[in-house]
Amino acid sequence: MEDLINLTGFEIAQDIKKGQFNQEQVYTFFKDRIKRLDPSLKSFVELYQEPVCSEGSSALKGLPIAVKDNICIKGKKITCASKILSSHTAVYDASSVNLLKKAGLNIIGTTNMDEFAFGSSTENSCYGPTKNPWDTTRVVGGSSGGSAAAVAARLVPFALGSDTGGSIRQPASLCGVVGFKPTYGLVSRYGLVAFGSSLDQIGPITTNFIDCANLLNVICRPDNKDSTSADLEVPDFTKSLQNNVAGLKIGLPKEYFAEGLNPEIKEAVDAAISIFKKKKVKFIEISLPATEYAVATYYIIASSEASSNLQRFDGIKYGLRTPASSLRSLYAKSRQNGFGDEVKRRVFLGTYSLSSGYYEAYYLKALKVRRLIKKDFDKAFTEVDVILTPTSPTAAFRIGEKTQEPLSMYLSDIYTISANLAGLCAVSFPCGFTRDNLPVGVQLIGKEFDEAALIRLGFSYQNCTDFHKKIPPLAMKS
Ligand code: GLN
């Protein structure tokens, strides 16, 4: 069975159907890999001895899947990698978890993340950082870093993550896997612990586009438990697994190829562009002028929403409680003890920009700029079908390198956050390696609900390249 790590999830599921092995054997195979290899990575928060599952069916039936620790699984611990929730058990299933069960998938455990999904490195976790399987002295990206590392090391065929400003795509890029953020509203947020409610989306992290399309088929469904869920007929995404991309028009925004982009990243992204050119894709230089305001806009909006969403963690309703002589000081002490530094920083930022006197100057202004960012994309998409950019300005950085510099950490998301602000779909997939053998990702951004175009382009790219088949040496150890 050692060979399983070289197969796609879809292929393993087919082998199960053919009776080559059964799902218990597959579960045990991956569980053993996690037990053996994860102590050096720490990508998992909890590993389930027995799968969480129910009777169900789909093209992926019988496969194990890992879930980020901010998505509710009934009866299981959900901590968001925060001390404040360390003793909390979910009392219901997230809609996406429900759909995994209905598809016959076996949930194998929960993965590490930045506390409440605030971060770009998975270092802001009460469990400590997850290590990059390509170089364990380096970060995995964040905040869905546990999911990305687990998939990269083939500890699971795939996993779910969540993306508020890049948290699926940036760790996918730093770990060499495919991370897809669907259009806002396509996957239900019910049961996802809210960070920035107008930005959050759940999405798949896989090694390849075949699994990505199949997993999107499982989790994309209208849901009346989420008022922002899009009420539309969801297409069969596997129909977009086509090799024909001739004639598609891709925009290259000049603002995304400016200073700050590491030359080795640029080289790998340029090589991906050349491959698409050979496939007769047309490239057009475009401009997204409001890009320079994206990071500031995002951090005002995301922190404002986060400060409001996190009010519920008050020491009364959930988790950690620090006894005190008055109610007010119980709130204060519980939050002081339960939240890490980055969470406190976001709550300060958000509360400040929402407070009377500053609301107009910061929050309201940010909402207006968000509109401008969206308008830039609307205009660009009258000319092009898809936009191509780097995913992250650098490859995986060293653990500890940016923890003292929040601003430089925030810049890790410079290429990913605009898709969230504009509600668009976007994906990162591996397109090369640096000279230090660290993976590099390229990002495609699509129109609202045009996941199909991204899948088509990604699939046809993977058809003629094999970056996505490379496995970190650490994961090959037997
Ligand atoms: N890194 C960004 C942040 O810290 C995005 C996080 C995310 O997408 N959840 O807010």
Side-chain angles (χ1 to χ4, degrees):
M1 289 185 80
E2 281 313 304
D3 226 29
L4 287 195
I5 62 169
N6 295 311
L7 300 182
T8 63
F10 182 68
E11 285 166 333
I12 302 174
Q14 282 185 321
D15 286 347
I16 295 175
K17 273 191 196 111
K18 282 190 238 145
Q20 225 140 315
F21 25 71
N22 61 37
Q23 42 175 312
E24 287 73 29
Q25 286 170 312
V26 173
Y27 193 83
T28 306
F29 172 82
F30 283 104
K31 193 171 75 180
D32 289 348
R33 282 185 65 77
I34 297 168
K35 281 191 185 152
R36 186 160 54 82
L37 297 170
D38 204 47
S40 53
L41 296 176
K42 298 201 183 330
S43 64
F44 274 79
V45 168
E46 193 178 352
L47 169 64
Y48 303 149
Q49 285 307 316
E50 298 298 326
V52 172
C53 58
S54 70
E55 281 303 302
S57 194
S58 70
L60 301 178
K61 181 182 164 71
L63 295 180
I65 184 166
V67 172
K68 186 176 179 180
D69 194 25
N70 61 349
I71 302 174
C72 291
I73 305 169
K74 189 176 175 180
K76 294 290 180 187
K77 264 174 62 180
I78 172 156
T79 74
C80 297
S82 180
K83 219 169 115 188
I84 208 159
L85 279 179
S86 50
S87 60
H88 186 63
T89 299
V91 291
Y92 62 91
D93 273 332
S95 294
S96 52
V97 164
N98 206 4
L99 291 167
L100 297 180
K101 290 182 175 177
K102 280 194 180 141
L105 286 155
N106 298 322
I107 303 171
I108 196 164
T110 50
T111 52
N112 199 15
M113 54 184 283
D114 285 298
E115 185 175 4
F116 287 107
F118 302 160
S120 309
S121 65
T122 311
E123 290 168 292
N124 305 329
S125 160
C126 71
Y127 307 107
T130 297
K131 300 184 180 139
N132 195 308
W134 291 96
D135 175 349
T136 52
T137 67
R138 293 179 186 267
V139 302
V140 282
S143 64
S144 313
S147 288
V151 174
R154 288 7 182 216
L155 304 184
V156 270
F158 34 59
L160 290 189
S162 69
D163 190 312
T164 304
S167 274
I168 288 176
R169 292 160 285 155
Q170 186 257 11
S173 171
L174 271 46
C175 291
V177 293
V178 179
F180 203 109
K181 182 201 94 72
T183 304
Y184 185 76
L186 194 59
V187 179
S188 171
R189 290 183 296 109
Y190 179 75
L192 166 69
V193 177
F195 164 2
S197 309
S198 75
L199 304 155
D200 300 338
Q201 266 297 275
I202 292 174
I205 297 183
T206 62
T207 58
N208 64 85
F209 275 91
I210 300 174
D211 290 350
C212 175
N214 277 289
L215 204 46
L216 286 170
N217 274 358
V218 171
I219 60 173
C220 299
R221 284 279 166 284
D223 182 16
N224 56 21
K225 294 201 181 96
D226 170 3
S227 62
T228 59
S229 161
D231 190 12
L232 47 82
E233 190 125 346
V234 180
D236 175 355
F237 295 107
T238 61
K239 293 223 167 83
S240 306
L241 296 170
Q242 292 171 23
N243 202 3
N244 171 17
V245 291
L248 277 177
K249 282 189 241 149
I250 296 188
L252 297 174
K254 62 170 198 258
E255 293 80 3
Y256 285 61
F257 291 86
E259 64 175 312
L261 176 59
N262 177 295
E264 287 190 62
I265 306 286
K266 183 166 186 309
E267 214 175 284
V269 171
D270 284 342
I273 295 173
S274 309
I275 287 176
F276 283 123
K277 280 186 180 158
K278 282 199 200 114
K279 292 175 172 286
K280 306 255 179 322
V281 170
K282 290 199 188 99
F283 281 88
I284 299 169
E285 188 182 278
I286 58 166
S287 173
L288 300 167
T291 299
E292 64 174 302
Y293 308 114
V295 174
T297 306
Y298 168 82
Y299 276 93
I300 291 172
I301 293 175
S303 305
S304 299
E305 293 186 16
S307 72
S308 158
N309 277 323
L310 263 55
Q311 282 178 30
R312 71 193 68 172
F313 304 110
D314 57 4
I316 302 284
K317 301 188 202 70
Y318 305 88
L320 186 92
R321 178 178 303 167
T322 306
S325 53
S326 71
L327 185 61
R328 215 189 156 84
S329 98
L330 184 149
Y331 288 157
K333 289 202 164 127
S334 301
R335 286 166 72 86
Q336 187 180 12
N337 293 334
F339 287 152
D341 286 350
E342 184 60 25
V343 177
K344 289 174 188 155
R345 190 176 293 124
R346 304 285 174 118
V347 170
F348 287 147
L349 275 172
T351 310
Y352 182 82
S353 52
L354 288 176
S355 60
S356 139
Y358 295 104
Y359 177 92
E360 285 79 7
Y362 293 101
Y363 184 68
L364 202 61
K365 185 69 141 290
L367 289 184
K368 289 179 182 163
V369 182
R370 181 178 189 173
R371 181 56 51 195
L372 294 179
I373 291 170
K374 174 79 168 78
K375 270 195 183 155
D376 280 357
F377 280 106
D378 289 346
K379 181 161 174 276
F381 282 130
T382 61
E383 263 187 279
V384 298
D385 302 301
V386 166
I387 292 169
L388 183 148
T389 77
T391 308
S392 161
T394 64
F397 42 91
R398 293 205 185 274
I399 292 173
E401 191 179 321
K402 298 195 181 182
T403 38
Q404 297 313 315
E405 293 175 72
L407 276 183
S408 103
M409 188 75 91
Y410 293 176
L411 286 173
S412 306
D413 306 307
I414 190 157
Y415 304 136
T416 51
I417 52 187
S418 294
N420 301 74
L421 288 168
L424 306 168
C425 55
V427 63
S428 174
F429 55 95
C431 70
F433 287 86
T434 64
R435 291 187 238 311
D436 291 336
N437 204 31
L438 299 171
V440 179
V442 58
Q443 174 177 238
L444 297 174
I445 305 174
K447 298 174 191 164
E448 276 169 16
F449 304 110
D450 194 13
E451 280 60 24
L454 308 189
I455 296 169
R456 222 169 113 190
L457 283 160
F459 176 74
S460 77
Y461 178 86
Q462 292 196 333
N463 241 307
C464 63
T465 54
D466 58 5
F467 299 117
H468 64 290
K469 293 187 185 150
K470 299 263 190 281
I471 299 179
L474 174 151
M476 314 265 269
K477 278 198 207 140
S478 52

Coordinates of all heavy atoms in Angstrom, one line a residue, residues 68 117-120 142-143 162-167 195 298-299 346 413, ligand 1:
K68 N -9.8 21.7 9.3 CA -9.2 22.8 10.1 C -9.9 22.9 11.4 O -11.2 22.8 11.5 CB -9.2 24.1 9.3 CG -8.5 25.2 9.9 CD -8.5 26.4 9.0 CE -7.8 27.7 9.5 NZ -7.9 28.8 8.6
A117 N -7.6 31.9 13.2 CA -7.3 32.2 11.8 C -6.6 33.5 11.6 O -6.6 34.0 10.5 CB -8.5 32.0 10.9
F118 N -6.0 34.1 12.6 CA -5.3 35.4 12.5 C -3.8 35.1 12.3 O -3.1 34.9 13.3 CB -5.4 36.3 13.8 CG -6.9 36.6 14.2 CD1 -7.1 36.9 15.5 CD2 -7.9 36.5 13.3 CE1 -8.4 37.3 15.9 CE2 -9.2 36.8 13.7 CZ -9.5 37.2 15.0
G119 N -3.4 35.2 11.1 CA -2.0 35.0 10.8 C -1.6 34.4 9.5 O -2.5 34.0 8.7
S120 N -0.3 34.4 9.2 CA 0.1 33.9 7.9 C 1.2 32.9 8.0 O 2.0 32.7 7.1 CB 0.7 35.1 7.1 OG -0.2 36.2 7.1
G142 N 0.0 30.5 6.7 CA -1.2 30.4 7.5 C -2.4 31.1 7.0 O -2.3 31.8 5.9
S143 N -3.5 31.0 7.5 CA -3.7 30.3 8.8 C -4.0 28.8 8.7 O -3.9 28.1 9.7 CB -4.8 31.0 9.6 OG -6.0 30.9 9.0
S162 N -9.9 27.3 5.7 CA -10.7 28.5 5.6 C -9.8 29.7 5.2 O -8.7 29.7 5.5 CB -11.5 28.8 6.9 OG -10.6 29.3 7.8
D163 N -10.4 30.6 4.4 CA -9.7 31.7 3.8 C -10.4 33.0 4.0 O -11.5 33.1 3.4 CB -9.5 31.3 2.3 CG -8.5 32.2 1.6 OD1 -8.6 33.4 1.7 OD2 -7.7 31.6 0.8
T164 N -9.8 33.9 4.7 CA -10.4 35.2 5.0 C -9.6 36.3 4.2 O -10.2 37.3 3.8 CB -10.4 35.5 6.5 OG1 -11.0 34.4 7.2 CG2 -11.0 36.8 6.8
G165 N -8.3 36.0 4.1 CA -7.5 36.9 3.3 C -6.3 36.2 2.6 O -5.4 36.8 2.2
G166 N -6.5 34.9 2.5 CA -5.4 34.1 1.9 C -5.1 32.8 2.6 O -4.1 32.1 2.2
S167 N -5.8 32.6 3.7 CA -5.4 31.5 4.5 C -5.5 30.1 4.0 O -5.0 29.1 4.6 CB -6.2 31.5 5.8 OG -5.6 32.4 6.7
F195 N -14.5 34.7 11.6 CA -13.4 35.7 11.8 C -13.9 37.0 11.2 O -14.3 37.9 11.9 CB -12.2 35.1 11.1 CG -11.0 36.0 10.8 CD1 -11.0 37.4 11.1 CD2 -9.9 35.5 10.1 CE1 -10.0 38.2 10.8 CE2 -8.8 36.4 9.9 CZ -8.8 37.7 10.2
Y298 N -8.0 45.7 4.1 CA -8.3 44.4 4.6 C -8.2 44.4 6.1 O -9.0 43.9 6.9 CB -7.4 43.4 4.0 CG -7.5 42.1 4.7 CD1 -8.5 41.1 4.5 CD2 -6.5 41.7 5.7 CE1 -8.5 39.9 5.2 CE2 -6.6 40.5 6.4 CZ -7.6 39.6 6.1 OH -7.6 38.5 6.8
Y299 N -7.0 45.0 6.6 CA -6.8 44.9 8.1 C -7.8 45.7 8.9 O -8.0 45.4 10.0 CB -5.3 45.1 8.4 CG -4.6 43.8 8.2 CD1 -3.9 43.5 7.0 CD2 -4.6 42.8 9.2 CE1 -3.3 42.3 6.9 CE2 -4.0 41.6 9.1 CZ -3.3 41.3 7.9 OH -2.8 40.1 7.7
R346 N -5.7 42.3 17.1 CA -6.8 42.4 16.2 C -8.0 43.1 16.9 O -8.7 43.9 16.3 CB -7.2 41.1 15.6 CG -6.1 40.3 14.9 CD -5.8 40.9 13.6 NE -4.7 40.2 13.0 CZ -4.7 39.5 11.9 NH1 -5.8 39.4 11.2 NH2 -3.6 38.9 11.4
D413 N 0.3 38.6 2.7 CA -1.0 38.4 2.1 C -1.3 39.4 1.0 O -2.4 39.5 0.5 CB -2.2 38.5 3.1 CG -1.9 37.5 4.2 OD1 -1.7 36.4 4.0 OD2 -1.9 38.0 5.4
Ligands
GLN1 N1 -3.1 36.3 7.1 C1 -4.4 37.0 7.0 C2 -4.7 37.5 8.4 O1 -3.9 37.3 9.2 C3 -5.4 36.2 6.5 C4 -5.9 35.1 7.4 C5 -7.0 34.3 6.9 O2 -7.2 34.2 5.7 N2 -7.7 33.7 7.8 O3 -5.7 38.1 8.6

